[in-house]
Amino acid sequence: MSDRRAAWRVTLGNVIYNNDTRAGRTFDLLLIFLIVVSVLVVMFDSVSGFHARFEAQLDVVEWALTLLFTLEYVLRLIAARHPWNYVRSFFGTVDLLSILPAYLALLIPGAQYLLIVRVLRLLRIFRILKLVRYLSEASVLTQALRASVAKIIVFIAVVLTLVTIIGTLMYVIEGPRYGFTSIPTSIYWAIVTLTTVGYGDIAPKTPWGKGLASLAMILGYGIIAVPTGIVTVGIAQAQAGRRSTRPCPRCGLERHEADARYCRRCGETLPAEAGT
């Protein structure tokens, strides 16, 4: 009996986790289709016209999909060699979060719209379509962001200081008479202006206020370029760290990708890395 149960789990695991088989690929493609349908249902349910006309039908489809995804989650736990590792993984967390809002909606009205998190499950398409190799490029961006965290924190602190000062000055100059009813409201205006969004719901009327607003707008253009430069440098450094120093035996070119087998200039076979 135990051998039969183990064989059943292996078969189930191959279908759910192995997309190299026909059954596994069919399962994954069907799952992607159901996820897309689920996301579209949540979107249409938020449209007042659709909600008023097809509320009952949308509820039936949402609950049917939720029950299917719940069953899938349970089957993944059963088929996984190490269920707890799956639960703690990125996709395991996303799978759980994609079904919880439906049950929370029984207690909290409107929570069902959080089901839109199911769109994250579409990331499985990289694995299904054999695009996992492209995900390695995402690690470059992640590494760049991690290396730039300290600089970005300093930058944000400077921006927060600037908007506080500018907002306070605008409150003193304009005051409640022209819509700047408090310092927090004025700071909100400073943030909107400094980021060049400019909603226009609050605007200075006095010459001094307009002058300060002009300065904030000009500063905004300069500030936008700062984080872009920080992250760009981080990406360049991360990419440089991934490059090998192996010189090409024919043309002498260095700085190839770590997994490169041929020279990007002349096509000569590159020597193996030392220690490999």
Side-chain angles (χ1 to χ4, degrees), residues 118-252:
R118 287 175 181 170
V119 73
L120 291 175
R121 303 194 69 193
L122 293 177
L123 292 175
R124 280 194 170 91
I125 199 170
F126 285 95
R127 181 172 63 88
I128 297 170
L129 299 181
K130 306 297 184 182
L131 300 177
V132 177
R133 62 184 181 275
Y134 293 110
L135 292 178
S136 62
E137 299 301 323
S139 65
V140 175
L141 180 59
T142 303
Q143 184 178 350
L145 290 175
R146 287 177 179 173
S148 306
V149 165
K151 297 175 184 177
I152 292 175
I153 290 175
V154 172
F155 167 75
I156 292 176
V158 172
V159 172
L160 290 176
T161 302
L162 277 176
V163 297
T164 301
I165 294 173
I166 293 174
T168 303
L169 287 175
M170 189 60 73
Y171 173 72
V172 173
I173 294 172
E174 297 289 314
R177 179 182 177 185
Y178 297 114
F180 295 86
T181 55
S182 65
I183 290 179
T185 301
S186 301
I187 290 176
Y188 155 78
W189 170 87
I191 293 173
V192 170
T193 303
L194 206 63
T195 55
T196 69
V197 176
Y199 291 126
D201 52 345
I202 307 174
K205 300 296 189 297
T206 66
W208 285 104
K210 292 179 180 179
L212 182 59
S214 299
L215 177 62
M217 294 174 198
I218 293 172
L219 285 174
Y221 283 108
I223 287 174
I224 288 175
V226 174
T228 304
I230 292 174
V231 176
T232 300
V233 171
I235 291 175
Q237 292 175 344
Q239 288 178 329
R242 295 181 63 206
R243 293 185 181 275
S244 169
T245 56
R246 293 172 295 166
C248 172
R250 175 184 293 178
C251 65

Side-chain angles (χ1 to χ4, degrees), residues 1-110:
M1 180 65 70
S2 60
D3 293 340
R4 185 178 299 177
R5 184 180 300 175
W8 178 79
R9 287 186 61 187
V10 170
T11 302
L12 181 64
N14 286 332
V15 173
I16 293 178
Y17 293 107
N18 186 4
N19 67 322
D20 290 331
T21 63
R22 182 175 181 179
R25 190 173 182 84
T26 302
F27 174 83
D28 284 339
L29 292 175
L30 177 61
L31 179 62
I32 293 296
F33 172 76
L34 292 177
I35 292 170
V36 172
V37 171
S38 175
V39 171
L40 291 176
V41 167
V42 174
M43 289 182 176
F44 285 127
D45 190 35
S46 67
V47 180
S48 57
F50 278 94
H51 181 79
R53 187 174 181 181
F54 303 105
E55 180 179 2
Q57 294 88 334
L58 291 173
D59 285 343
V60 170
V61 175
E62 282 183 6
W63 273 109
L65 291 170
T66 297
L67 292 175
L68 284 174
F69 290 141
T70 302
L71 176 62
E72 179 222 350
Y73 184 77
V74 173
L75 292 177
R76 285 184 181 275
L77 288 175
I78 295 173
R81 293 182 179 179
H82 305 284
W84 182 239
N85 290 342
Y86 162 70
V87 171
R88 294 185 301 171
S89 67
F90 170 77
F91 281 115
T93 303
V94 171
D95 292 344
L96 181 60
L97 291 178
S98 69
I99 58 178
L100 284 181
Y103 299 107
L104 287 176
L106 297 174
L107 302 173
I108 306 174

